[in-house]
Amino acid sequence: MNNTSPNTVTLAPMEGVLDPLMRQLLTEINDYDLCVTEFVRVVDCLLPEHIFYKLSPELKQGGVTSAGTPVRIQLLGQDPQALAENAVRAIELGSPGIDLNFGCPAKLVNKSRGGAALLKTPNLIRDIIEAVRRVVPSDLPVSAKIRLGWESAEESFDIAAAVEQAGASSLAVHGRTKMCGYKAERINWPAIAAVRELVSIPVVANGEIWSHQDALECVKVTGCRDIMLGRGALNTPNLGNVVKYNAPAMTWQEVMALLLRYTQLECRGDKGKYFPNRIKQWFAYLNKVYPEAKALWPELRVLRESAQIVDLLNAQGA
């Protein structure tokens, strides 16, 4: 397994980052096998259809991106019945399955007992998955995404067992606890391997995969043939194909062409007002890989108007 590339590569849900436009662009240049949406926050009621369409306009085109990559709706909440009702709605609107979020470390989400806060209560995780699994057609997947635990990776065994017992189709594991945040040195691929050995359902490995070599090492250490990419997919926009096929990373010229396409699409209509923040957010990732992005950053970061940023990018791409 030393030189085995992953079988499937999923584009992770990243709240406030991997929105529909970013999914469109990244699936056009990568052979991703699956995308998962930013979470739909469920409290105690059935949400209106427009909420689902806003987070996943792909529902209106068969639940796939323009490149044909399936997009699975992710739900987040702590009420099994409400989550089940919203899962039915998502499926009826065209989602090719349901993903359940038990890993989001955001303080606001955790304060309301959502996301990673549920890692403290494996029994409730089981109840939620069971409720959703009962109402989702058996031929469609119900997947779950977790961290290794709240404080200790040892918590992952009870959590993973609950996920499997509840009937989940697969389990994505981010290789850190909630308390570890995103600290690189706290990544724990061996703990993902322990989870994979415990359960019989497919386990998807997630965390600190930035290159083809990282993917090979992750597959080797975890034994997982399926991986999920998050932040790295923004750092190197064609990382999906880099890890899957050992393709070369995009050149800066290619990245600039992608940024200009993003600029054209993002600035259409009312969304243009968000463009300055969104392009700066992307540059924060690109800065880690491309010296050209880092060199352009001091000039870009002080600009406030979309038109100024568009002019700067056009000049760079000329």
Side-chain angles (χ1 to χ4, degrees):
M1 190 173 282
N2 290 13
N3 296 307
T4 303
S5 295
N7 276 344
T8 67
V9 181
T10 297
L11 185 61
M14 292 177 63
E15 176 66 13
V17 181
L18 282 168
D19 64 0
L21 177 54
M22 193 63 77
R23 290 196 296 270
Q24 175 187 335
L25 291 175
L26 294 183
T27 58
E28 284 177 356
I29 61 172
N30 293 281
D31 290 338
Y32 281 112
D33 297 279
L34 175 69
C35 296
V36 180
T37 69
E38 301 165 274
F39 60 75
V40 177
R41 181 74 171 97
V42 175
V43 181
D44 57 5
C45 64
L46 180 62
L47 296 170
E49 293 182 1
H50 72 84
I51 297 292
F52 293 89
Y53 285 129
K54 181 180 180 181
L55 279 173
S56 183
E58 297 97 341
L59 291 170
K60 296 183 177 180
Q61 53 192 39
V64 298
T65 68
S66 56
T69 306
V71 180
R72 190 176 299 169
I73 294 286
Q74 184 182 80
L75 303 179
L76 178 149
Q78 67 282 340
D79 184 323
Q81 185 56 37
L83 285 161
E85 291 173 359
N86 282 278
V88 170
R89 171 148 287 177
I91 294 297
E92 289 176 345
L93 294 177
S95 180
I98 297 295
D99 188 71
L100 295 167
N101 182 321
F102 305 115
C104 178
K107 289 182 180 179
L108 187 61
V109 169
N110 296 162
K111 189 176 179 181
S112 58
R113 293 183 62 229
L118 290 165
L119 298 171
K120 301 175 182 179
T121 54
N123 288 343
L124 182 53
I125 288 177
R126 186 186 62 236
D127 292 346
I128 288 169
I129 297 172
E130 283 181 345
V132 173
R133 181 69 276 180
R134 275 196 299 269
V135 299
V136 171
S138 59
D139 61 328
L140 294 178
V142 173
S143 54
K145 187 171 191 292
I146 68 170
R147 281 179 169 243
L148 292 171
W150 183 263
E151 289 185 310
S152 167
E154 292 181 4
E155 300 167 31
S156 64
F157 299 118
D158 287 342
I159 297 165
V163 170
E164 180 173 38
Q165 291 163 10
S169 309
S170 63
L171 174 62
V173 182
H174 180 96
R176 279 177 278 243
T177 65
K178 190 276 179 188
M179 300 306 290
C180 289
Y182 291 96
K183 296 174 182 175
E185 70 275 11
R186 302 301 297 275
I187 193 66
N188 191 345
W189 287 344
I192 300 179
V195 169
R196 183 193 61 77
E197 291 167 3
L198 176 71
V199 299
S200 59
I201 58 176
V203 173
V204 182
N206 172 234
E208 294 301 310
I209 300 173
W210 308 97
S211 66
H212 181 68
Q213 188 56 46
D214 287 342
L216 295 182
E217 187 66 17
C218 181
V219 169
K220 176 183 175 183
V221 172
T222 65
C224 299
R225 292 302 309 279
D226 305 303
I227 65 171
M228 177 178 280
L229 301 179
R231 293 171 295 157
L234 281 300
N235 289 15
T236 305
N238 70 324
L239 184 63
N241 283 0
V242 169
V243 303
K244 206 169 184 181
Y245 308 124
N246 198 18
M250 293 177 78
T251 65
W252 178 244
Q253 289 73 23
E254 292 169 329
V255 172
M256 277 305 309
L258 183 66
L259 288 170
L260 290 172
R261 174 159 163 70
Y262 174 77
T263 298
Q264 288 180 325
L265 296 172
E266 180 70 33
C267 286
R268 288 178 182 171
D270 294 338
K271 285 195 72 179
K273 62 186 178 182
Y274 303 114
F275 172 70
N277 289 337
R278 297 309 301 271
I279 197 71
K280 291 174 185 178
Q281 181 183 55
W282 198 357
F283 259 78
Y285 291 97
L286 294 171
N287 286 349
K288 302 179 189 305
V289 174
Y290 294 94
E292 298 92 340
K294 198 167 187 177
L296 192 59
W297 178 241
E299 190 174 356
L300 173 66
R301 67 188 297 271
V302 299
L303 299 180
R304 297 288 181 267
E305 301 297 325
S306 294
Q308 296 173 314
I309 296 174
V310 170
D311 287 344
L312 176 63
L313 295 178
N314 278 323
Q316 293 294 315

